[in-house]
Amino acid sequence: MKLRPLQDNLIVQIDPKIEKTEGGLYMAGTAEKPRMVGEVLAIGPDVENVKVGYKVYVTYKDAFATTIADTWIFPESNILAIVE
């Protein structure tokens, strides 16, 4: 399936969850926070501040899950910051 976002929507692949810290400790499942960093895979024609390939912090308000694992559709207003 190929998705093409419309208006100011973006398709973002959320980074996989980290199950083990750099120090070798495993994270408890109940202590996990929602993953908020992802890579922009596609943008709609009205998106102004984000480009394909950017790493971004997102909020899940008004987001839609796709049938592709860890891939979400967000309006541009859900992008909180660009990771540089």
Side-chain angles (χ1 to χ4, degrees):
M1 170 184 356
K2 186 173 181 180
L3 298 174
R4 182 173 51 102
L6 302 176
Q7 300 169 343
D8 70 337
N9 292 303
L10 306 99
I11 298 175
V12 177
Q13 174 79 42
I14 300 298
D15 288 346
K17 66 179 179 180
I18 300 170
E19 296 183 15
K20 189 175 180 182
T21 66
E22 289 180 19
L25 300 174
Y26 286 93
M27 301 293 290
T30 57
E32 285 184 38
K33 294 181 181 178
R35 294 171 287 154
M36 297 182 69
V37 177
E39 180 180 353
V40 178
L41 300 179
I43 61 172
D46 297 337
V47 173
E48 298 178 0
N49 299 308
V50 181
K51 294 183 181 177
V52 172
Y54 277 17
K55 281 269 200 188
V56 293
Y57 276 95
V58 297
T59 178
Y60 285 88
K61 177 181 172 253
D62 300 326
F64 295 93
T66 70
T67 57
I68 304 165
D70 292 324
T71 303
W72 291 73
I73 300 173
F74 295 96
E76 186 177 18
S77 61
N78 283 34
I79 304 301
L80 302 174
I82 297 169
V83 180
E84 297 182 343

